[in-house]
Amino acid sequence: NMTFLTSLSLTHNAICSIPPAIRAMGPSLTALDLSHNRLCSIPLDLRFLTKLDVFGTAGMDMDFLPAAVRQAGGKNMLRFIAVVHDAMQTGTLSLTDMNLSEVPEDVLGMTNLTELRLDNNDIAHLPGTLTVLKGLKTFSCENNKLRTIPTDFERFPRLQRISLLGNPIDELPLGLCKMTSLTEIASYSHDLVPRPPAAKISKDQLIDNTFALLDTFEHMMKAYETRRLILADMSLAFFPNEAFQISSLTDLDISLNNF
């Protein structure tokens, strides 16, 4: 009956669970403090508290949530629960703008995912174990702190689109050229996408740029065996950093490019 409440403090009790009736407070409740109780999980009904801006969980063992989510703050804990619940039905998981420093481990168990978005966080490294998401077709990790992506990415059997815009990418795994499903890599590196304020490119141009890069990578992969790297007349505007990994090279031809 207290659906008019805007703030509710339940601190220092022995609460183990929250009744489903709390969803009725969704239109009004902006602050909920459950600190120093005995909750062993975040009730899914809390996802209906759409106006909630402050969520206190101090003094509780929150091991049922991934460490990356716990560190992201109470409000993001609630959002994580809500989007994971929805993703189990839709196959699309968006963890954007959640102040994450790493990919939550729980994501690796969501094998139904076809789309994963981690944009606008503070992620500097991606786990190679992401490839357990065999059905993933779209992966977006824009505006983070990535300098590369794991070599394991070549094991994604269905991945079509990778977006890394806004990351300080230095190099990409050469093995990406083995991915028969991959059609788009969006990144300001490797001349794939022009940096703002330059005009945006079309989807067709991005696909063309991606295949050109993958073709370059394929040449470099072969160079490990032949010790000869021929990148002549490929309209390259840069010398790819990935080539520096091929320490056994004896012959290099990069003539007729746009360096």
Side-chain angles (χ1 to χ4, degrees):
N1 294 328
M2 296 184 181
T3 56
F4 55 86
L5 288 179
T6 59
S7 179
L8 176 61
S9 177
L10 300 170
T11 65
H12 294 88
N13 283 289
I15 297 172
C16 296
S17 62
I18 301 294
I22 195 153
R23 66 174 65 182
M25 296 182 180
S28 60
L29 198 64
T30 60
L32 174 62
D33 195 346
L34 296 173
S35 299
H36 302 284
N37 278 287
R38 298 180 182 175
L39 289 180
C40 59
S41 65
I42 296 292
L44 286 177
D45 291 301
L46 293 185
R47 72 185 189 277
F48 292 101
L49 304 181
T50 56
K51 302 291 185 181
L52 203 63
D53 190 55
V54 177
F55 181 53
T57 59
M60 286 195 291
D61 184 357
M62 304 289 284
D63 286 345
F64 50 84
L65 282 175
V69 176
R70 297 197 305 270
Q71 294 166 5
K75 189 175 180 180
N76 283 323
M77 291 183 202
L78 289 179
R79 186 175 162 215
F80 178 78
I81 294 294
V83 297
V84 166
H85 177 269
D86 292 341
M88 296 301 291
Q89 309 299 320
T90 65
T92 297
L93 179 61
S94 178
L95 299 177
T96 62
D97 298 289
M98 288 190 64
N99 196 34
L100 297 175
S101 59
E102 60 186 53
V103 180
E105 292 182 6
D106 287 32
V107 172
L108 303 179
M110 302 180 66
T111 54
N112 70 311
L113 290 184
T114 58
E115 183 172 340
L116 175 59
R117 296 191 173 275
L118 299 164
D119 306 336
N120 306 321
N121 285 294
D122 294 305
I123 299 172
H125 302 281
L126 295 171
T129 47
L130 274 173
T131 54
V132 299
L133 305 177
K134 301 296 185 184
L136 206 65
K137 296 181 179 180
T138 298
F139 175 77
S140 181
C141 196
E142 298 181 0
N143 301 316
N144 279 276
K145 299 177 180 179
L146 300 175
R147 292 194 172 276
T148 188
I149 57 176
T151 56
D152 304 76
F153 263 49
E154 67 183 68
R155 299 178 185 174
F156 275 115
R158 297 181 177 86
L159 194 61
Q160 300 170 4
R161 293 171 291 275
I162 300 174
S163 186
L164 304 169
L165 296 173
N167 285 279
I169 298 293
D170 292 326
E171 57 186 47
L172 293 169
L174 296 180
L176 294 180
C177 67
K178 300 177 182 178
M179 298 175 65
T180 57
S181 60
L182 187 61
T183 59
E184 297 176 33
I185 306 174
S187 174
Y188 294 137
S189 68
H190 299 78
D191 261 13
L192 289 164
V193 177
R195 293 181 180 275
K200 293 183 179 180
I201 61 173
S202 67
K203 183 181 180 70
D204 287 343
Q205 184 61 59
L206 175 59
I207 292 173
D208 287 345
N209 291 350
T210 298
F211 281 124
L213 178 67
L214 296 179
D215 185 45
T216 302
F217 280 7
E218 187 172 359
H219 279 74
M220 286 191 274
M221 289 285 287
K222 291 177 181 177
Y224 275 100
E225 296 179 5
T226 65
R227 300 202 297 178
R228 301 178 67 246
L229 179 57
I230 311 300
L231 298 178
D233 197 17
M234 295 186 68
S235 300
L236 298 178
F238 62 94
F239 184 75
N241 286 339
E242 292 81 1
F244 291 112
Q245 302 173 17
I246 313 172
S247 57
S248 60
L249 279 184
T250 58
D251 295 285
L252 174 64
D253 185 354
I254 53 173
S255 58
L256 301 174
N257 281 292
N258 300 319
F259 298 139

